[in-house]
């Protein structure tokens, strides 16, 4: 099938999906979860083919680990689908219904987006995840996964489609683009006739490619160059614990801390204290000259460090002489993800919350909390670092839109 | 100045704009309105240059009329700014603030988008309009108007900037790109480093160009191929009045009706009745064979008619044998703008509201109501026919986003 044919099928089935009740959708999800468990061997066999090809092609260890499926991982995928089935269905609620002076009753009804396209790399668990989020919200989904995971994705998609069909539910709710060449990817990104939104999930490079080439509206999930600012009134023990947590609790995630900004009044006391704590995990600290002066453990930072998302045991450290300077530095170098201030001062806390431009701004807490689960959304589609449509952790609602519904009794415009 | 320099200035000033109080912003708007009135002569003189060049370049009458400014039109622009100053400021409110089990208090604060880019054609009133909407919402705006209106736009922007500066307010809240070549336009559309959103206002061709070329997120305001479906239970007098209103009350607007869909059970009674009413305004009716059979006044429609937004005294007419067929036809040919059903049947009304995919779906009312003013929003930025971020008439809120603010007291992630 061509991209257009796939898109057209998805569009057609999207109307039916939009009409399905929460009960039908939840049944479909449970069925899909059961089928993944029941047909685990078939999926593992397909995954072995991908793994063998990946090893032959010299994929690195990290990528191979992401690609690999096990019985436990497939159980995890099934459990993820079941969890989504238990969330409240956002579709169909009507907000802000108001009577206008002319008698028209106007409200905003929550509805599916329609057809969601997702482009991602070699992580087969994304396949079932994204299916579940889209099915729950009544959207048809078209997936384009990385070529390294093609056999695994084929198997997962086949199992879910067949499970839906057996229950009389629409298999075309989930389609996979099997061709992996660049021309197909480009065509997909320009298929605005049928796609309502395109979501890239993966590396910064993948996301950039999609943003540059897509004519379909994109929801961008970005990288995180997250800062923690320790001001002159901070509880320095709390500050050290929070920086230690945000830097080291999990390396390689977008909400980990990459850069520390510290007020010059406390640098001499704070930096040696922090260095001691971070030494437990062998974190390399790179500071500006004033920071290096305050603590012998630091290496000198270069200009490049301020804009770098290390995803590693490295922390850059900048000293400032005021809150204003800290905010300006953060607004210049951050990626719009998560930023925190550690302070004991009321006005400084409020000013930081007001003026730092990011999806999530914290007072006295670790940036590691920026996460759909931690925010109480149940499921997460990713963390948006753009400002349109959805910003910050995206729950089910990010996969919906609204339409105005208007009840009249013969009104015409004068 | 280069596009990058303009963008950088806008970004820098956007932080100050985001901190301004509602009072300061409203003062700025009132000052701008007064300055437009006080310096009317200067603006009219600039506009005369554009008009003379437009006539010399052979612009058609409609375009010249849109370009032309008069004392009254400038008064209208000033009054538009004053009206916006009287609306409630959406910035700063916090919604959904909740305490998480770990004690974090998380809420969603409404904030400006940051820097808004607008590309439009030769309508100088858009210049003051867009400035007022953006200033009210604390956004910096960069305008790129049509070359035919360059002198008028220069004058309006100069007057507003100087008025702001005199009051100590930031003139860079409003910047105009003066270069009118295509390379500059392209550079502007790819300036995602500084622009948070790009809004094209004008023809379908302009909008298409922006969607195809922009790497900045776009809010698309689209065309309207709006339908009215008259079902077999409709009050046919009401139906005729609504179709007459939606087709003829104003020609050339996106929410006017372009196509009638009629149930075959009532076509013989309804179409002659409607033809009589539409004859008052010499509306040309183009029908499918069954429609032509029902009423001698109709001309035969071609396949092309179903997808055409006439913006003229022409109406296409399609007969159907069921509500399902009507909905399928409308979902195939509409542009996601405004669609109406005229019916006396409860279940048909609800089914139409549920299943038609458009920004605004009506029961027993004219599609001409799809408008920010009519919906009670006070001001309108345009009507979005896309599904992300904003759908339907866009008020001030479409120029805002949210950020999560989180109050902690030392929380770290376990």
């Amino acid at each position: 099938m061509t991209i257009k044919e796939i898109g057209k099928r998805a569009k057609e089935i999207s109307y039916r999906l939009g009409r399905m009740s929460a009960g039908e959708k939840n049944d479909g999800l449970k069925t899909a979860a059961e089928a993944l468990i029941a047909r685990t061997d078939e999926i593992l066999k397909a995954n072995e083919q991908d793994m063998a090809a990946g090893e032959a092609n010299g994929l690195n260890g990290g990528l191979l680990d992401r690609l690999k499926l096990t019985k436990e991982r497939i159980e995890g995928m099934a459990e993820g689908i079941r969890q989504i089935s238990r969330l409240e269905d956002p579709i169909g609620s009507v907000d802000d219904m108001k009577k206008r002076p002319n008698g028209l009753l106007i409200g905003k009804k929550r509805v599916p987006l329609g057809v969601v396209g997702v482009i991602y790399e070699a992580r087969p668990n994304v396949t079932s995840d994204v299916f579940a989020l889209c099915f729950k919200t009544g959207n048809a989904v078209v997936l384009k996964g990385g070529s390294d995971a093609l056999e695994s994705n084929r198997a997962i998609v086949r199992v879910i489609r067949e499970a839906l069909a057996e229950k009389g539910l629409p298999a075309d709710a989930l389609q996979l683009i099997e061709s992996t060449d660049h021309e197909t990817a480009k065509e997909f990104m320009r298929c605005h006739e049928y796609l309502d939104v395109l979501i890239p999930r993966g590396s910064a490079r993948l996301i950039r490619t999609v943003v540059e080439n897509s004519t379909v509206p994109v929801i961008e999930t970005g990288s995180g160059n997250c800062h923690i600012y320790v001001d002159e009134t901070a509880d320095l023990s709390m500050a050290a614990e929070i920086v230690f947590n945000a830097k080291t609790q999990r390396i390689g995630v977008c909400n980990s801390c990459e850069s520390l900004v510290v007020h010059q009044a406390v640098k001499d006391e704070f930096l040696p204290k922090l260095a001691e704590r971070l030494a437990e995990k062998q974190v390399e600290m790179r500071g500006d000259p004033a920071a290096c002066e305050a603590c012998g453990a630091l290496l000198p930072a270069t200009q490049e460090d301020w804009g770098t998302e290390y995803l590693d045991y490295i922390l850059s450290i900048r000293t400032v002489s005021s809150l204003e300077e800290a905010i300006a530095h953060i607004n210049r170098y951050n990626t719009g993800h998560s930023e925190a201030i550690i302070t004991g001062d009321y006005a400084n806390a409020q000013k930081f919350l007001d003026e730092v431009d990011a999806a999530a701004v914290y007072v006295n807490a670790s940036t590691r909390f920026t996460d759909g689960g931690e925010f109480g959304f149940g499921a997460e589609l990713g963390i948006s670092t753009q400002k349109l449509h959805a910003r910050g952790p995206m729950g089910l609602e990010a996969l919906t839109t609204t339409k105005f519904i208007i009840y009249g009794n013969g009104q015409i415009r004068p």
Side-chain angles (χ1 to χ4, degrees), chain A residues 226-228 243-244 246-248 256-261 270-271 274-275 278 282-288 298-299 301 305-306 308 310 312-318:
Chain A
C226 305
H227 297 74
I228 294 177
V243 174
F244 180 78
K247 179 69 254 177
T248 71
S256 64
C257 175
E258 303 291 5
S259 190
L260 170 70
V261 182
F270 182 60
L271 290 178
L274 179 68
L278 291 179
Q282 285 89 48
V283 176
E284 180 181 321
M285 297 166 76
R286 300 182 186 170
D288 64 12
L298 272 60
L299 300 172
D305 281 295
W306 311 129
T308 301
Y310 303 114
D312 201 351
Y313 291 93
I314 307 173
L315 180 73
S316 70
I317 301 169
R318 173 87 171 214

Side-chain angles (χ1 to χ4, degrees), chain A residues 231-235 323 327 341-355 362-364:
Chain A
D231 95 345
E232 73 271 39
T233 65
D235 172 334
L323 175 58
I327 292 172
I341 183 173
I342 316 301
T343 185
D345 185 88
Y346 172 79
N348 288 0
Q350 294 297 105
K351 190 176 166 74
F352 191 87
L353 288 176
D354 280 349
E355 298 184 16
Y362 293 81
V363 179
N364 294 346

